[in-house]
Amino acid sequence: MFRTVTEAMNIVHISKEDQDNVFAMISAVLWLGDVSFTIIDNENHVEIVVDEASKTVSELLGCSIEDLNLALSKRHMKVNNENIVQKLTLSQATDTRDALAKSVYASLFEWLVEQINKSLSVGKRRTGRSISILDIYGFESFEKNSFEQFCINYANERLQQHFNRHLFKLEQEEYVEDGIDWAKVEFEDNQDCLNLFEKKPLGLLSLLDEESTFPNATDLTFANKLKQHLNTNSCFRGERGKAFALNRRILSVPYRSSAADSQKLSVAMKFKGQLFQLMQRLESTTPHFIRCIKPNNLQLPAIYEQGLVLQQLKCCGVLEVVRISRSGYPTRMTHQKFARRYGFLLLDDVASQDPLSVSVAILHQFNILPEMYQVGYTKLFFRTGQIGKLEDTRNRTLHGIRGNLVRRCDGNVDLINVFREFESKQEAEGDQILIKASVLAELQRRILKAEATVREKDEENEMLHQRLQQYENRWAEYEQKMKSMEEMWQKQMRSLQAGLSVAKKSLALDETPRMSDSSVDQSWESNGNHVGNGSQLVPRTIGREMNAGHSVINRLEEEFNQRSQVFADDVNFLVEVKSGQADASLNPDMELRRLKQNFDSWKKDFGGRIRETKVILNRLGSSNESSPNSVKRKWWTRRNTSKFS
């Protein structure tokens, strides 16, 4: 990895001496973290400890130990043209040491960027053009979000607005300006959130800048000031203590102030200035966007967190982009360019007509449906895939013309002789038309090239034929596998259906005895032969239990029918995908295995529930054999021999 870094530095023309200085500064930053302090008085003032760390830092930075101690343990201020030196406490000196490390690293980073830009600017000076790549972090939201996340998310809000402007505002404005029929797609505008950051004098950055000028300012006073001035803003929410949260549409990011933030004010204002310079450059370019979505926060493969992905898609406006792409016209071409590119395909001579008339004639000749395009004042707007059809026709036509010329020029020697004979005849007749040898040589060269191309195409066709044969063989194996699996499923479905039928018949057999028992009990009650309520509870309780049993069986049967249909539909769909009848971005073999696993899992669970239902019904029948009507209940003891695998 180190060798890769040095090779990259060599490519952008960073000298060996400068490379050594770069590594010396990086080493100094690392060693600064090991510099420690010792307390020298009762007021907690400190000096640096003279050890390996401090000696190495001073050597790498090119200063003395005394100068390093002066920089880290004392603060220099100028008041009324008078220089004042103030001793620092342990916490202040620690912050100063860390600030120096960050400052050195930031300066080194900026120097490296400058050197790279100088090296890459050679081509730009020659052509006046350049291609730039902006690679940024996405929105960050952790349990504890500090100043770093604050700046990163602020930059992302700015870039998100740039994204919105180009993919929503400008896209739809172009439709309106060119006069096509278009229903506007609404999108979330983050201008309110940006105002929360940038508005003066009550924006987050302005309030942070103001609070840092007070000598007794703390994290808590800053948080309270934000709550006092920004509580009415819908994008701001005050939290307990010294924390606050910024609401981005669906994302709420809580921030917690820290003591080090007050030391970063100049960083914040510089960050804002650099961000505005970046946005000015972006506005002067033609942007292309690549959205990267994190599948999980663990940085591990093969883990997909649906909630996290959906949150990113919503925050980044990707869902709205999809809506515009599906309902919009991503391909557009001026009337002039469209007529020049496809006009030769027309059957009628339209050379004298204007570009708009030629364009309309092309659309009509190739039967492009009216809902697939719109004609604007200056451009033609097409839905996805429409230009591809015209391009295919254009390419086939041009290839046909090339093939015709090749066939006509087959037999190069004879063709040259014909041209020479023609030349001699013309000379004899006094004609001034001359065919130069260079023209014949060029014609011969083109014919040879065409013949080589034909041979290459023949070889490619042979390879494609072999691949097609392999595909057909695999498809036959796949069809056989699908057929055997479908037969197995049908067999298992019939087994499950048999279990349901047995359970339903058992319940149906009980209807008549139960009704007769109820009528007998009612007649006994009317005749006064029964004493107490115990005998009446038997048929009523059994009736309720039988109703419950009916309900369970009905639900099982309904679930069986639904699942059977779902599995059958899924199998048919996979067959269509495999055969090319349906278009879907999935692997049919993998989906088939997954479908089989799901079916086996459901089958096992469903069979178990049927067995449990039978056991409950049998227990119910056994528990009622002690009643006066036990003779009529003996059907409960019947056992069904159907088994489920």
Side-chain angles (χ1 to χ4, degrees):
M1 292 175 65
F2 181 76
R3 184 167 57 252
T4 302
V5 172
T6 56
E7 289 174 355
M9 288 184 169
N10 293 331
I11 290 173
V12 295
H13 307 298
I14 297 178
S15 66
K16 182 65 169 62
E17 181 182 0
D18 285 340
Q19 291 183 33
D20 292 339
N21 290 331
V22 167
F23 299 133
M25 291 301 100
I26 293 176
S27 300
V29 170
L30 296 173
W31 276 101
L32 268 171
D34 290 337
V35 171
S36 57
F37 301 92
T38 179
I39 299 175
I40 59 175
D41 56 29
N42 295 330
E43 297 181 3
N44 206 30
H45 295 144
V46 298
E47 288 184 349
I48 65 170
V49 175
V50 181
D51 56 7
E52 181 186 11
S54 58
K55 290 179 181 179
T56 305
V57 169
S58 61
E59 180 181 351
L60 290 170
L61 294 180
C63 66
S64 64
I65 286 286
E66 291 74 18
D67 290 337
L68 183 63
N69 180 61
L70 188 64
L72 298 184
S73 63
K74 295 177 177 59
R75 177 179 297 161
H76 300 262
M77 295 179 293
K78 191 171 185 179
V79 180
N80 297 329
N81 295 326
E82 181 180 357
N83 291 325
I84 298 177
V85 178
Q86 178 184 2
K87 294 181 179 180
L88 300 181
T89 63
L90 179 59
S91 62
Q92 292 172 333
T94 302
D95 287 342
T96 302
R97 178 199 64 191
D98 295 345
L100 176 61
K102 294 175 182 178
S103 178
V104 171
Y105 188 81
S107 299
L108 175 61
F109 182 85
E110 292 176 356
W111 182 86
L112 282 170
V113 171
E114 183 180 359
Q115 299 306 308
I116 294 171
N117 287 338
K118 284 181 180 179
S119 176
L120 298 179
S121 63
V122 177
K124 185 177 181 180
R125 286 198 301 267
R126 292 178 179 174
T127 64
R129 298 180 179 181
S130 65
I131 297 177
S132 302
I133 298 176
L134 175 63
D135 184 13
I136 62 165
Y137 284 104
F139 287 97
E140 291 189 350
S141 177
F142 306 125
E143 292 184 4
K144 181 179 180 180
N145 299 285
S146 64
F147 182 78
E148 182 179 1
Q149 282 71 47
F150 181 86
C151 291
I152 288 174
N153 290 344
Y154 169 41
N156 274 284
E157 289 292 350
R158 261 287 162 205
L159 291 166
Q160 180 67 35
Q161 188 184 60
H162 181 70
F163 176 80
N164 290 346
R165 172 176 168 76
H166 277 274
L167 274 86
F168 298 115
K169 294 181 180 178
L170 298 183
E171 178 89 1
Q172 300 190 88
E173 286 174 4
E174 183 177 1
Y175 292 161
V176 174
E177 290 173 359
D178 226 65
I180 70 171
D181 186 19
W182 172 253
K184 187 175 181 181
V185 175
E186 298 297 332
F187 63 93
E188 291 284 350
D189 195 345
N190 64 339
Q191 186 59 53
D192 290 341
C193 190
L194 282 173
N195 291 340
L196 179 63
F197 279 97
E198 301 170 351
K199 191 175 180 181
K200 295 182 179 180
L202 298 179
L204 284 169
L205 296 175
S206 298
L207 291 174
L208 179 60
D209 195 17
E210 175 188 320
E211 186 67 14
S212 65
T213 61
F214 296 107
N216 296 325
T218 64
D219 301 334
L220 185 59
T221 60
F222 174 58
N224 289 335
K225 175 172 284 190
L226 295 182
K227 296 171 187 176
Q228 175 186 352
H229 292 288
L230 302 177
N231 258 348
T232 57
N233 192 305
S234 60
C235 297
F236 178 85
R237 188 179 76 246
E239 303 282 352
R240 296 179 60 184
K242 56 181 181 179
F244 61 93
L246 303 183
N247 301 320
R248 192 185 182 280
R249 281 163 285 180
I250 65 166
L251 183 65
S252 179
V253 184
Y255 297 90
R256 183 173 296 277
S257 304
S258 65
D261 287 356
S262 60
Q263 302 295 326
K264 298 179 180 177
L265 290 175
S266 59
V267 176
M269 300 312 294
K270 187 176 182 180
F271 184 84
K272 179 182 177 182
Q274 291 177 340
L275 180 59
F276 271 82
Q277 292 177 2
L278 172 64
M279 300 313 300
Q280 288 176 354
R281 289 195 60 188
L282 290 177
E283 290 293 341
S284 65
T285 63
T286 302
H288 300 269
F289 300 94
I290 299 175
R291 281 292 186 189
C292 299
I293 304 298
K294 292 195 301 184
N296 62 78
N297 283 325
L298 303 176
Q299 297 184 355
L300 295 175
I303 298 178
Y304 180 86
E305 298 178 9
Q306 183 175 355
L308 175 65
V309 172
L310 183 60
Q311 182 188 67
Q312 294 175 84
L313 294 176
K314 289 182 178 179
C315 285
C316 296
V318 175
L319 299 182
E320 287 82 0
V321 172
V322 173
R323 286 168 54 199
I324 280 191
S325 298
R326 292 178 63 181
S327 60
Y329 303 87
T331 306
R332 59 208 66 174
M333 195 178 295
T334 62
H335 302 156
Q336 292 82 357
K337 183 177 179 180
F338 188 81
R340 284 197 306 269
R341 188 164 183 83
Y342 306 108
F344 76 95
L345 298 174
L346 288 175
L347 301 176
D348 300 326
D349 184 13
V350 291
S352 60
Q353 297 185 19
D354 61 277
L356 177 58
S357 301
V358 174
S359 300
V360 173
I362 295 170
L363 296 173
H364 289 168
Q365 177 172 311
F366 290 94
N367 296 322
I368 297 181
L369 299 177
E371 60 267 23
M372 293 292 105
Y373 70 91
Q374 287 208 43
V375 180
Y377 300 141
T378 62
K379 301 185 190 76
L380 292 170
F381 295 80
F382 294 93
R383 296 199 186 276
T384 303
Q386 300 308 306
I387 284 292
K389 298 177 181 177
L390 286 174
E391 279 294 308
D392 290 342
T393 304
R394 180 177 183 271
N395 292 335
R396 285 197 303 270
T397 303
L398 292 177
H399 290 164
I401 295 173
R402 196 198 67 180
N404 188 35
L405 289 176
V406 170
R407 288 190 295 273
R408 289 185 178 183
C409 297
D410 191 21
N412 304 326
V413 178
D414 294 339
L415 182 64
I416 294 174
N417 292 334
V418 169
F419 273 112
R420 287 177 177 173
E421 183 181 356
F422 174 77
E423 183 180 17
S424 62
K425 287 182 179 180
Q426 294 301 320
E427 288 177 350
E429 295 174 359
D431 198 297
Q432 300 299 319
I433 300 177
L434 299 177
I435 301 179
K436 297 182 179 180
S438 60
V439 175
L440 293 175
E442 175 64 17
L443 180 59
Q444 184 180 16
R445 187 188 66 80
R446 293 184 180 181
I447 292 174
L448 293 174
K449 184 178 179 181
E451 289 176 343
T453 302
V454 170
R455 285 195 298 270
E456 292 177 0
K457 293 297 181 182
D458 289 338
E459 294 174 357
E460 291 179 5
N461 290 337
E462 180 62 26
M463 292 178 60
L464 290 174
H465 179 73
Q466 294 176 1
R467 292 180 183 175
L468 179 61
Q469 187 64 40
Q470 294 173 358
Y471 176 83
E472 290 176 347
N473 293 338
R474 288 199 301 268
W475 174 241
E477 295 175 0
Y478 181 86
E479 282 188 319
Q480 183 61 35
K481 185 189 299 183
M482 291 292 298
K483 183 178 180 180
S484 61
M485 185 168 292
E486 191 169 10
E487 291 174 354
M488 180 189 69
W489 283 1
Q490 293 293 339
K491 182 178 179 181
Q492 293 173 340
M493 285 292 187
R494 287 194 293 270
S495 176
L496 291 173
Q497 184 72 54
L500 282 174
S501 300
V502 169
K504 290 195 68 174
K505 289 178 180 178
S506 296
L507 286 173
L509 289 172
D510 183 63
E511 284 296 325
T512 304
R514 182 170 64 86
M515 293 302 297
S516 60
D517 289 347
S518 300
S519 60
V520 170
D521 287 339
Q522 290 171 4
S523 63
W524 287 352
E525 184 178 20
S526 63
N527 295 330
N529 294 331
H530 268 273
V531 181
N533 296 326
S535 60
Q536 298 176 14
L537 289 176
V538 174
R540 293 178 182 176
T541 303
I542 294 175
R544 287 195 298 269
E545 291 166 341
M546 291 301 298
N547 289 334
H550 268 292
S551 177
V552 171
I553 294 299
N554 289 335
R555 285 198 300 270
L556 287 174
E557 184 176 30
E558 182 179 357
E559 179 184 352
F560 176 87
N561 294 331
Q562 291 177 350
R563 285 302 186 103
S564 301
Q565 186 62 45
V566 168
F567 282 123
D569 292 343
D570 288 348
V571 171
N572 292 333
F573 175 72
L574 290 177
V575 171
E576 291 176 356
V577 172
K578 187 71 177 181
S579 62
Q581 300 176 20
D583 186 18
S585 57
L586 52 81
N587 186 329
D589 295 319
M590 185 180 298
E591 290 297 319
L592 180 63
R593 288 193 294 269
R594 184 186 64 80
L595 185 62
K596 184 179 183 303
Q597 292 173 355
N598 292 342
F599 175 82
D600 290 338
S601 176
W602 171 77
K603 179 190 66 175
K604 182 177 179 181
D605 173 72
F606 189 78
R609 281 184 283 148
I610 290 181
R611 288 193 295 271
E612 290 174 359
T613 303
K614 288 168 55 183
V615 170
I616 292 172
L617 294 176
N618 288 327
R619 287 178 180 174
L620 180 63
S622 300
S623 64
N624 290 300
E625 286 182 357
S626 59
S627 68
N629 304 303
S630 59
V631 176
K632 301 176 183 178
R633 309 272 178 224
K634 285 186 178 179
W635 68 271
W636 286 110
T637 61
R638 290 196 295 267
R639 294 290 187 268
N640 188 293
T641 58
S642 298
K643 295 184 179 180
F644 304 95
S645 57

